[in-house]
Amino acid sequence: MKVRLLHKDIYTIGHKLTKRDKLGLHQSIEEGCLKLLSLLVEAAFTRKDAKMKTLEVARVHAEVLKHLIRIEHELSVIDEKVYLRLAKDLVEISKMINGWISYVMKNS
């Protein structure tokens, strides 16, 4: 699952940050990524007629993560190379979630 790999990447980045940055904004990003992972696993095991609500919440969490990571880059907590890699992964995850939502809407 792409979100699991994203979390692994975010977790690894945290080891290189200062204590202030790691326990501040970066911690919120890591928690948000774990919440996104949790929502997607929940959606996978939810009945077809109840998936939409969970997927909509997951879509919002993905967008919030995009903004938090952009802020982390703007504050120079992470460099541009790391930011671009994380942003690319989040765009891909968002496309997957949107595709899943379209599939559920089409088949309900």
Side-chain angles (χ1 to χ4, degrees), residues 80-93:
E80 188 167 0
K81 183 179 175 183
V82 172
Y83 166 69
L84 292 173
R85 183 178 71 233
L86 295 176
K88 179 183 169 223
D89 290 346
L90 275 167
V91 166
E92 189 176 333
I93 290 166

Side-chain angles (χ1 to χ4, degrees), residues 26-44:
H26 194 78
Q27 183 176 0
S28 298
I29 291 169
E30 190 174 341
E31 289 170 358
C33 191
L34 286 172
K35 180 63 178 174
L36 179 60
L37 176 63
S38 173
L39 287 166
L40 293 176
V41 169
E42 181 182 334

